[in-house]
Amino acid sequence: MVRNQFETVRELFARNVIPSYARFDLALARGAGCEVWDVSGRRYLDLGGGIAVCALGYSNREITQALIEQSERLVHVSNLYYNEPQGRLAERIVKHLAPGKVFFCNSGAEANEGLYKLARKFGHDEGRFEILTAANSFHGRTLAGISATGQEKVKKGFEPLVQGFRHIPYNDLTAAREALSPATVAILIEGVQGEGGITPATADYLMGLRRLCDEKKLLLLIDAVQCGHFRTGRFQSFQRILEGVPGAEGFRPDGVSMAKSLGGGFPIGAFWVCDKHADLLGPGTHGTTFGGTPLGCAVALKIFEVIERDNLAANAREVGDWIKRSLQRMVDTYPTVLKSVRGLGFLIGLEVCEREKIPAFSTIDKGSSIQFVNKLHEAGVLTIPSGSQVVRLLPALNLSRPQAEEGLSSIENVVKKLVS
Ligand SMILES: Cc1ncc(COP(=O)(O)O)c(C=O)c1O
């Protein structure tokens, strides 16, 4: 009976849904807080947060209330008109980031598209158009997004790509300087590489890129789609990375893209542009039908309000850093299964050993990250694979310490069984 419910959903997909995702054998039916249940009624602790999306977990009552109240007032208006929630949300982002202005859209890839257009406009009259992005980066699945992404696997089969993107090694300032050409107009990096396996930018890299961009008249753009929105313990990951770094107080990028946790599951994206360049995209240069609807903005405003009221940035920092320390102890205790742990706050990457080195994994032709995530599913915990060896923990910002303890104990039980 239980199997049949899952099979019914899987068959619906097999017949009707384009098979562009390699999905796990799991059909989720409902959620509450950091817990989610599958169609058979089995409960999971969710440490994946819908890939850094569910900022307040599932079925949050205050989000539901905001949705109901705003939908009874006004769901959508065209961007031909003003609407107050959009203006108030932009103000909130500016307050947390720095003076500038915000454009609203629907996804992370679309937010990055806005940054590419901003850069093109900035350099247009001088014939500059080239954007440098990092190896191992991820910027979304649109045609420009895969062109910007520094991973071959997303580009394959879709050539010719959008021109004007080149990749440089991440956290390598010399390589960035050497890669510049007369056509270069911007450098775009993630504050912490997410899909690439949770690699934070170093403070020296951020500061050095800022100096380089100032010197060469380039825009410094940050993709904060996954690493932003308080996940690292500060609104933006660069704010956390640069904490206490001498001379970093005035650090500002020129543009920042965001999405994911901004809407907590309601699809909304945005990009912020610093004051100096905030009016580059003038009337008629950019737009999107659903960007900044009153409904989406009311939800995002509520999320900001709850995060601030409940000090969830501090929670992400404290509980997240505790998780990281605990995982580091596991790495030290079980070196034949776990290799390393990296990240900040609730943006954690646990590197599992190569599948060939783990007997239980070695005979199956799937990366150790996917096999580990499957074992965690059996143990009742959801996490997110990244590449062939990294397992990501990107939980809701309100994950409690006892929930984190439950998750870690399940992880340790899985690891123990993999020790050869
Ligand atoms: C850093 C980064 N940029 C952009 C994107 C694309 O966002 P979306 O899937 O909302 O288009 C993602 C998605 O994972 C991401 O992690």
Side-chain angles (χ1 to χ4, degrees):
M1 178 65 189
V2 161
R3 192 76 202 146
N4 281 348
Q5 276 172 314
F6 171 68
E7 285 306 336
T8 305
V9 178
R10 178 151 65 181
E11 276 159 26
L12 271 174
F13 270 60
R15 280 197 306 275
N16 305 294
V17 178
I18 288 175
S20 66
Y21 293 97
R23 291 176 209 274
F24 290 105
D25 284 348
L26 205 56
L28 299 175
R30 72 186 172 89
C34 292
E35 298 172 305
V36 66
W37 285 263
D38 69 13
V39 286
S40 73
R42 179 157 189 233
R43 175 254 189 205
Y44 299 84
L45 176 72
D46 185 11
L47 298 182
I51 320 189
V53 168
C54 306
L56 303 183
Y58 299 98
S59 307
N60 180 278
R61 256 201 257 124
E62 288 179 277
I63 294 185
T64 306
Q65 199 54 38
L67 274 166
I68 293 170
E69 282 172 19
Q70 186 59 47
S71 64
E72 284 172 348
R73 209 172 296 135
L74 198 61
V75 169
H76 170 87
V77 290
S78 163
N79 274 306
L80 294 176
Y81 313 107
Y82 295 97
N83 78 76
E84 192 183 340
Q86 183 177 142
R88 289 194 15 241
L89 180 59
E91 181 186 52
R92 205 61 161 248
I93 292 171
V94 166
K95 185 188 125 203
H96 279 283
L97 227 166
K101 289 180 184 165
V102 182
F103 179 93
F104 290 102
C105 54
N106 306 282
S107 68
E110 197 188 358
N112 285 332
E113 291 278 342
L115 293 184
Y116 313 144
K117 283 182 70 177
L118 177 83
R120 288 268 179 119
K121 199 87 171 69
F122 175 68
H124 187 264
D125 293 348
E126 299 167 343
R128 296 192 296 151
F129 58 89
E130 185 183 69
I131 301 172
L132 302 182
T133 69
N136 234 5
S137 59
F138 184 80
H139 299 296
R141 295 289 194 152
T142 56
L143 205 47
I146 62 172
S147 308
T149 293
Q151 302 189 44
E152 282 313 302
K153 66 181 184 209
V154 306
K155 305 176 194 271
K156 232 171 124 200
F158 298 104
E159 301 86 352
L161 299 169
V162 174
Q163 57 170 292
F165 293 98
R166 247 178 337 115
H167 310 310
I168 50 175
Y170 192 57
N171 275 335
D172 184 340
L173 211 47
T174 311
R177 183 175 283 277
E178 284 171 359
L180 299 181
S181 82
T184 308
V185 72
I187 299 178
L188 166 69
I189 58 154
E190 291 161 84
V192 179
Q193 289 192 331
E195 300 299 303
I198 312 295
T199 311
T202 62
D204 281 351
Y205 189 51
L206 291 172
M207 298 286 284
L209 283 186
R210 182 65 278 174
R211 279 194 301 273
L212 182 62
C213 287
D214 288 343
E215 181 191 324
K216 304 287 182 185
K217 211 175 150 222
L218 312 173
L219 296 183
L220 176 58
L221 307 174
I222 295 203
D223 179 339
V225 168
Q226 187 163 151
C227 61
H229 225 66
F230 306 99
R231 185 153 290 283
T232 57
R234 293 286 299 269
F235 180 51
Q236 291 298 321
S237 63
F238 65 80
Q239 293 167 330
R240 166 111 199 236
I241 292 166
L242 294 174
E243 266 175 10
V245 173
E249 304 75 28
F251 177 93
R252 303 264 187 280
D254 296 302
V256 175
S257 58
M258 47 200 105
K260 288 191 181 277
S261 283
L262 176 64
F266 192 97
I268 181 168
F271 63 93
W272 165 94
V273 181
C274 69
D275 238 4
K276 189 170 171 200
H277 304 302
D279 294 330
L280 259 179
L281 294 174
T285 58
H286 198 46
T288 182
T289 295
F290 296 120
T293 62
L295 189 60
C297 292
V299 170
L301 276 165
K302 180 56 72 180
I303 291 170
F304 262 111
E305 186 188 315
V306 174
I307 289 173
E308 288 168 19
R309 184 196 66 203
D310 297 349
N311 293 321
L312 295 184
N315 186 63
R317 176 191 293 254
E318 282 156 27
V319 180
D321 290 359
W322 176 80
I323 293 177
K324 193 176 154 197
R325 285 195 302 277
S326 308
L327 288 173
Q328 184 57 57
R329 272 196 296 276
M330 272 189 229
V331 169
D332 298 339
T333 313
Y334 309 104
T336 56
V337 180
L338 301 177
K339 224 171 161 177
S340 70
V341 60
R342 342 180 245 271
L344 298 162
F346 281 161
L347 187 59
I348 298 174
L350 177 62
E351 189 183 7
V352 184
C353 292
E354 294 82 355
R355 86 179 162 85
E356 296 78 11
K357 297 201 175 139
I358 302 175
F361 290 171
S362 61
T363 54
I364 299 164
D365 190 22
K366 277 189 181 148
S368 53
S369 57
I370 294 193
Q371 296 199 57
F372 195 85
V373 167
N374 270 320
K375 292 277 181 212
L376 287 173
H377 287 174
E378 288 166 22
V381 177
L382 302 188
T383 55
I384 312 285
S386 169
S388 59
Q389 280 176 247
V390 177
V391 174
R392 275 175 292 172
L393 274 51
L394 315 156
L397 303 179
N398 53 10
L399 181 87
S400 67
R401 170 74 182 252
Q403 286 171 321
E405 284 168 10
E406 179 199 331
L408 281 175
S409 137
S410 301
I411 292 173
E412 184 154 17
N413 286 338
V414 164
V415 172
K416 276 183 188 160
K417 287 189 195 137
L418 295 172
V419 174
S420 46

